[in-house]
Amino acid sequence: MQATRSTPTLEDVAKSAGVSTATVSRCLNSPDRVIENTRMRVLRAVDELGYTPNFGARVMAAKRTFTIGAIIPTMENAIFARGVQAFQEELHRRGYTLLISSSAYQPDLEEEQIRALVSRGADGLLLIGYERNPEIYRYLERQNIPVLVAWAFSDENDRPSIGFDNCAAMRELAKTVIEFGHRKIGVISGITQGNDRASQRLKGIEDAVANSLLDPKIMGIIETPYEIDNGGDAFEELMKNEDRPSVVMCGNDVLAVGALRRAQQMGLHVPRDVSITGFDDIELARIVMPSVTTVHVPHREMGQKAATQLVKMVENESTGVSTELQITLRIRDSLGRIARA
Amino acid sequence: MQATRSTPTLEDVAKSAGVSTATVSRCLNSPDRVIENTRMRVLRAVDELGYTPNFGARVMAAKRTFTIGAIIPTMENAIFARGVQAFQEELHRRGYTLLISSSAYQPDLEEEQIRALVSRGADGLLLIGYERNPEIYRYLERQNIPVLVAWAFSDENDRPSIGFDNCAAMRELAKTVIEFGHRKIGVISGITQGNDRASQRLKGIEDAVANSLLDPKIMGIIETPYEIDNGGDAFEELMKNEDRPSVVMCGNDVLAVGALRRAQQMGLHVPRDVSITGFDDIELARIVMPSVTTVHVPHREMGQKAATQLVKMVENESTGVSTELQITLRIRDSLGRIARA
């Protein structure tokens, strides 16, 4: 905001409320330590004068700002919306406000946003996935900002996180796809560079194929950003092969819905001519016809538990424990069985 | 963040960079006024020490934080995602970082978030729609925070805004629906209470019906929150009437897609048995089959222009001008013609 002459000070508030500046900052920082009607008087003065606590004494005095920051890779297609919504609702119940940034899957932009949220006084941060410049983690440690990683969980990583094993989840789905008789698997993956969820999901398919005794083959892998039209283009590309895949496994539901739509535009019947699978179980996967077989991610549970955990970290009740959530498969009409030859 | 003993001060930075504290804060607040290698030296010290400018001198000295706040009603279904994405991209080009809050269509929550963004030092705010507690507008004036309203435009309101006339836009669509031969119109509206976009869209349908010489009738109006399943439930309700509507006009694409899906589950053919229309032209409307006739909102243009305008306001180059964007109809397969009797 503009630092104008008229910007009221802590002293102005104290004067107008007829209390000491110490009482004012106590009201702002630990209201429970101030008796009701003094607090009311002060807060009324704060409001009347339009005093903004962080400009001046409060920031210096406050132990907390009761603001949590979250940076999500994208707001498109509501991939993170449901989880973030639950995260916010739980934070709100606990008296914290959520500020969100969207990094558009750009690490440099995420870094800038992390620094902005810290400079704006965020008490703690929720970040998606583990993978980022180590320097930024060091910066956050120096700043004493608790960080909780979400949407990912790995035994190998001891950073506090809440999420699920993207690799194991996709491996489960791939095993089912193979059990359904599919031997020719096309893959449309998100961009794996800098996105550990995407690379883990891809690895899950490769593991299932490598470990299967039924001799399935990966006919082709295309990496593309998570957008509906990209899923369609990649699908068309995969179907150009002489030897067409019988199933196209996609890195998320957005790519799967794009592939499904394109298949229909190409006059292909799903699943008779080709099966399609996704990941995430966002609304999009339920709404299209046929509905998309996918991996159900417990978005609301993840968001709610992330809030509970991060607030504990901020309030020094926990140094951060990691939680692995269980995923389940949603077998829907977009996945068909291949009749035995 | 935690105010620990170890938190470095402006003096620490000055000492370690071997410059005066004045030089440090000049580096942070108007870097262009400091020669390159001094600036580099200071910024390195800032980074090494993990000094967070806003805790201490900077906030007091800075004229701006280069942070813009935006509060959107929801992150679900990507209703605002595309516009906000464009808004952020343009802000980024201009050196500003965007912090977003989602109010879940709750005025009290929005108020809390506005105060949080202001306390966190937002230079300016983007708010959706005009309608909110006048007290909050007075608060923002006292705080000298420029506010730009988006997703709405009205000649009667002189508050700076960028958007479109929701009433006129829906009226256009309703006129087309009537021209297509529809006389029995069912309406599924968003909750109009506290949502001027929703009430304006509803008014647009009512105006078109009132002004038409073709004697169309509104068979029923159901208000429900913007969620896919709510659209389905409302649709089922409307179809219980003895005298069924031939078209169901929905307040947005989310409700329309829910209605469409439910119609198909009920064994109704769209548009042969019933036509359905939406509003917004989000991806969802294109992806379902049949694709949904809707009002195309220029989301990216609105977001980009909102950023340009708001930055001008923040930098005192403008006190805020209002911009009306033109909308267009997207007539798709979900709207059919009624054969003359």
Side-chain angles (χ1 to χ4, degrees):
Chain A
M1 64 171 274
Q2 316 283 318
T4 62
R5 263 227 173 52
S6 73
T7 304
T9 67
L10 189 72
E11 289 64 30
D12 300 331
V13 176
K15 197 172 304 159
S16 119
V19 300
S20 70
T21 53
T23 304
V24 174
S25 76
R26 197 154 52 244
C27 279
L28 297 171
N29 302 318
S30 34
D32 46 314
R33 288 171 48 210
V34 182
I35 60 159
E36 181 64 13
N37 73 43
T38 307
R39 190 164 70 241
M40 286 299 108
R41 217 161 66 236
V42 170
L43 294 182
R44 207 173 305 112
V46 165
D47 197 47
E48 279 161 6
L49 295 170
Y51 171 66
T52 309
N54 85 317
F55 285 80
R58 184 185 185 189
V59 175
M60 316 298 286
K63 280 185 195 53
R64 260 175 276 139
T65 65
F66 298 96
T67 307
I68 296 289
I71 300 174
I72 58 176
T74 179
M75 290 183 58
E76 294 278 346
N77 301 303
I79 299 172
F80 297 96
R82 178 152 291 113
V84 171
Q85 185 64 39
F87 181 65
Q88 168 165 312
E89 285 165 16
E90 184 61 32
L91 286 178
H92 184 63
R93 263 191 291 281
R94 294 166 179 276
Y96 286 76
T97 303
L98 174 63
L99 296 182
I100 305 158
S101 266
S102 166
S103 66
Y105 288 98
Q106 294 171 37
D108 55 334
L109 193 50
E110 190 198 49
E111 233 177 277
E112 185 183 303
Q113 293 169 335
I114 287 172
R115 290 174 192 272
L117 281 162
V118 170
S119 326
R120 302 273 62 78
D123 291 329
L125 293 185
L126 183 79
L127 300 176
I128 307 302
Y130 296 101
E131 190 174 337
R132 53 184 50 81
N133 179 353
E135 172 45 39
I136 201 72
Y137 280 123
R138 283 195 292 275
Y139 164 77
L140 288 165
E141 271 154 37
R142 285 197 304 266
Q143 299 290 326
N144 276 313
I145 307 286
V147 174
L148 182 63
V149 165
W151 265 264
F153 176 90
S154 156
D155 294 326
E156 284 97 64
N157 199 315
D158 56 6
R159 194 172 292 286
S161 77
I162 176 158
F164 48 93
D165 185 329
N166 283 273
C167 179
M170 189 63 108
R171 192 169 57 232
E172 272 310 298
L173 178 57
K175 276 169 64 180
T176 304
V177 163
I178 294 165
E179 282 160 19
F180 271 45
H182 293 277
R183 298 294 175 262
K184 300 174 179 180
I185 303 172
V187 179
I188 305 176
S189 165
I191 303 294
T192 54
Q193 163 69 16
N195 180 339
D196 47 23
R197 286 91 60 214
S199 42
Q200 286 296 305
R201 292 175 191 183
L202 179 54
K203 183 173 181 302
I205 298 175
E206 292 168 332
D207 289 357
V209 166
N211 302 338
S212 171
L213 303 171
L214 301 169
D215 193 33
K217 289 188 176 41
I218 291 181
M219 315 302 290
I221 299 174
I222 296 179
E223 287 194 18
T224 184
Y226 292 131
E227 294 197 14
I228 289 179
D229 294 337
N230 294 346
D233 296 343
F235 177 83
E236 213 171 322
E237 198 55 39
L238 286 171
M239 295 314 260
K240 282 184 183 154
N241 296 332
E242 276 296 305
D243 197 6
R244 285 183 163 185
S246 66
V247 61
V248 173
M249 296 189 70
C250 302
N252 76 359
D253 293 339
V254 175
L255 294 175
V257 165
L260 173 64
R261 204 65 169 95
R262 188 68 57 93
Q264 292 166 329
Q265 285 158 359
M266 289 166 68
L268 294 171
H269 181 278
V270 178
R272 205 180 53 238
D273 300 326
V274 59
S275 287
I276 292 170
T277 67
F279 196 110
D280 283 340
D281 195 21
I282 57 175
E283 232 148 10
L284 210 54
R286 286 192 301 106
I287 222 63
V288 291
M289 294 212 298
S291 54
V292 174
T293 289
T294 188
V295 174
H296 174 73
V297 172
H299 289 101
R300 290 199 60 85
E301 179 189 10
M302 182 160 52
Q304 187 270 330
K305 286 184 170 165
T308 311
Q309 177 57 227
L310 187 51
V311 166
K312 281 205 182 107
M313 292 163 72
V314 165
E315 298 181 352
N316 297 319
E317 288 168 21
S318 159
T319 55
V321 290
S322 292
T323 310
E324 177 169 16
L325 301 173
Q326 294 314 310
I327 61 86
T328 48
L329 302 184
R330 293 277 187 275
I331 307 302
R332 303 200 182 108
D333 301 346
S334 72
L335 175 63
R337 291 179 182 275
I338 299 281
R340 283 261 161 284
Chain B
M1 64 169 273
Q2 315 283 319
T4 63
R5 263 225 173 51
S6 72
T7 305
T9 66
L10 190 71
E11 290 66 28
D12 300 330
V13 177
K15 198 173 301 155
S16 121
V19 300
S20 71
T21 52
T23 304
V24 174
S25 77
R26 197 156 49 244
C27 280
L28 298 170
N29 302 318
S30 34
D32 46 313
R33 287 171 48 210
V34 183
I35 60 160
E36 181 64 12
N37 75 45
T38 307
R39 190 165 70 241
M40 286 298 107
R41 218 160 67 237
V42 169
L43 294 182
R44 209 174 302 111
V46 165
D47 197 48
E48 278 161 5
L49 295 170
Y51 172 67
T52 309
N54 85 318
F55 286 81
R58 185 184 183 191
V59 175
M60 317 298 287
K63 280 187 194 50
R64 262 176 274 138
T65 64
F66 297 96
T67 307
I68 296 289
I71 300 176
I72 57 175
T74 179
M75 292 182 57
E76 294 279 346
N77 301 303
I79 299 173
F80 296 95
R82 176 151 292 116
V84 171
Q85 186 64 41
F87 181 65
Q88 167 165 313
E89 285 165 16
E90 184 60 32
L91 286 178
H92 183 64
R93 263 191 292 280
R94 294 167 179 275
Y96 285 76
T97 302
L98 175 63
L99 297 182
I100 306 157
S101 265
S102 164
S103 66
Y105 288 98
Q106 294 171 37
D108 54 334
L109 193 50
E110 189 196 51
E111 223 172 290
E112 184 183 303
Q113 293 169 335
I114 288 172
R115 290 173 192 274
L117 280 161
V118 171
S119 321
R120 302 273 62 78
D123 291 328
L125 294 184
L126 184 80
L127 300 177
I128 307 302
Y130 296 102
E131 189 174 339
R132 52 185 49 82
N133 180 352
E135 173 45 39
I136 201 73
Y137 280 124
R138 282 195 293 274
Y139 164 76
L140 288 165
E141 271 153 39
R142 284 197 305 266
Q143 299 291 326
N144 275 314
I145 307 286
V147 174
L148 182 63
V149 165
W151 265 266
F153 177 89
S154 157
D155 293 325
E156 283 99 66
N157 200 315
D158 55 6
R159 194 172 291 288
S161 77
I162 177 159
F164 47 93
D165 184 331
N166 282 273
C167 179
M170 189 63 107
R171 192 170 55 232
E172 271 311 298
L173 178 58
K175 276 169 63 181
T176 303
V177 163
I178 295 165
E179 282 159 19
F180 270 45
H182 293 277
R183 299 295 176 260
K184 300 174 179 180
I185 303 173
V187 179
I188 305 176
S189 165
I191 302 295
T192 54
Q193 163 69 18
N195 181 338
D196 47 24
R197 286 92 58 214
S199 41
Q200 285 297 305
R201 291 175 192 183
L202 179 54
K203 183 172 180 303
I205 297 175
E206 293 168 330
D207 290 356
V209 166
N211 303 337
S212 171
L213 304 171
L214 300 169
D215 192 34
K217 288 187 179 41
I218 291 181
M219 316 301 290
I221 300 174
I222 296 179
E223 287 194 17
T224 185
Y226 292 131
E227 294 197 13
I228 289 177
D229 294 337
N230 294 346
D233 296 343
F235 176 82
E236 212 170 323
E237 199 54 40
L238 285 172
M239 296 313 262
K240 282 186 182 152
N241 296 331
E242 277 296 306
D243 197 9
R244 284 184 164 184
S246 66
V247 61
V248 173
M249 296 190 69
C250 303
N252 77 359
D253 293 339
V254 174
L255 294 174
V257 165
L260 173 65
R261 203 68 168 94
R262 188 66 59 91
Q264 292 166 331
Q265 285 159 359
M266 289 166 70
L268 295 171
H269 181 278
V270 177
R272 203 180 53 238
D273 300 325
V274 60
S275 288
I276 292 170
T277 67
F279 196 109
D280 283 340
D281 196 21
I282 58 176
E283 231 149 11
L284 211 54
R286 286 193 301 107
I287 223 61
V288 291
M289 295 213 297
S291 54
V292 174
T293 289
T294 188
V295 173
H296 174 73
V297 172
H299 289 101
R300 291 200 59 85
E301 179 189 9
M302 181 161 52
Q304 187 269 330
K305 286 184 170 165
T308 310
Q309 177 57 227
L310 187 51
V311 167
K312 279 203 182 110
M313 291 163 73
V314 164
E315 299 181 351
N316 298 318
E317 288 167 21
S318 159
T319 55
V321 290
S322 293
T323 309
E324 177 170 16
L325 301 173
Q326 292 315 311
I327 60 87
T328 47
L329 301 184
R330 293 278 187 274
I331 306 303
R332 302 199 181 109
D333 301 346
S334 72
L335 175 63
R337 292 181 180 276
I338 298 282
R340 283 261 163 284

